[in-house]
Amino acid sequence: MIQVRDKDLDDDAFVELARQVRDVAREVGEQHGREITVIVNDRVEAARELGLDVHVGQGDMPASQVRELLGAEAIIGVSVSNAEQLEGVIAEGSADVVGIGPIWNTATKTDTDPAVGLEQLASLTTRAHEAGIVAVAIGGISIRNASEVAATGCDGICVVSAIAGSEDPATSATFLRREFVMNQPL
Ligand SMILES: Cc1ncc(COP(=O)(O)OP(=O)(O)O)c(N)n1
Ligand SMILES: Cc1nc(C(=O)O)sc1CCOP(=O)(O)O
């Protein structure tokens, strides 16, 4: 899954970027016989225009409103950093996925709630699963610690710098995936 996240582009430029990512993902997906999901961060209108899924933060459009705009088929992700936020997402009943983070402090995003850590990640994941919500971890995750994150039972990892900041993004993505998959609980 690829998330298109840009805080600076104006709406038109963002739509153009997301369109390009969507089209490349479709092409590469077809070549490899698999679907590569593209999700848009924050910009619900762009997601609607392009038929993409969306991730929203605590201060963004509420997931219930996103659901009304994008319909039943859309994948909707919501950020959570603690149990109170997770209970809010569960009560609202519109999210498919929660992005739990930051697991560790990260230079990529500094305006975050306090770091969650592995123990709380495990308990938030358990609670999300009870509610039928997929739980992915974000923030400070790298090849070095992906195995510890996997061991908590969460469903996936999201990274920015570990791939975008790598000299060899494709190899880094492969190693990250391997570390995660090989260390997931049975
Ligand atoms: C999977 C995932 N989880 C959390 C976030 C953070 O989103 P948000 O809270 O909207 O913060 P910004 O990304 O907008 O800075 C995410 N993007 N993806
Ligand atoms: C975009 C984002 N959201 C976070 C959250 O905690 O909600 S942490 C984060 C940045 C993740 O970047 P990196 O993989 O370089 O640490």
Side-chain angles (χ1 to χ4, degrees), residues 5 101-102 106 108-109 112 138-140 159-161:
R5 176 179 182 269
T106 169
T108 307
K109 181 173 166 69
T112 63
I138 187 168
V159 304
V160 178
S161 52

Side-chain angles (χ1 to χ4, degrees), residues 74-173:
I75 299 172
I76 298 176
V78 180
S79 306
V80 299
S81 298
N82 53 52
E84 191 185 344
Q85 291 174 0
L86 177 58
E87 290 306 326
V89 170
I90 292 169
E92 195 181 8
S94 298
D96 304 291
V97 184
V98 282
I100 302 172
I103 307 308
W104 293 285
N105 290 327
T106 169
T108 307
K109 181 173 166 69
T110 51
D111 61 334
T112 63
D113 284 332
V116 171
L118 293 171
E119 211 171 300
Q120 205 189 168
L121 170 61
S123 63
L124 293 174
T125 294
T126 301
R127 179 69 186 119
H129 287 170
E130 281 170 7
I133 296 175
V134 171
V136 298
I138 187 168
I141 299 170
S142 67
I143 292 170
R144 283 184 302 284
N145 59 31
S147 59
E148 296 174 82
V149 178
T152 66
C154 70
D155 301 291
I157 49 175
C158 310
V159 304
V160 178
S161 52
I163 292 178
S166 166
E167 284 180 7
D168 184 352
T171 302
S172 296

Side-chain angles (χ1 to χ4, degrees), residues 7-8 21 24 32-34 36 39 43 47 59 62 72 75 87 90 93 97 102 124 128 147 160 173-174 177 181 183:
K7 296 290 180 186
D8 300 322
V21 173
V24 171
H32 292 268
R34 59 197 292 184
I36 301 172
I39 190 159
R43 310 217 199 183
I75 299 172
E87 290 306 326
I90 292 169
V97 184
L124 293 174
S147 59
V160 178
T174 301
R177 186 171 191 281
V181 170
N183 290 287

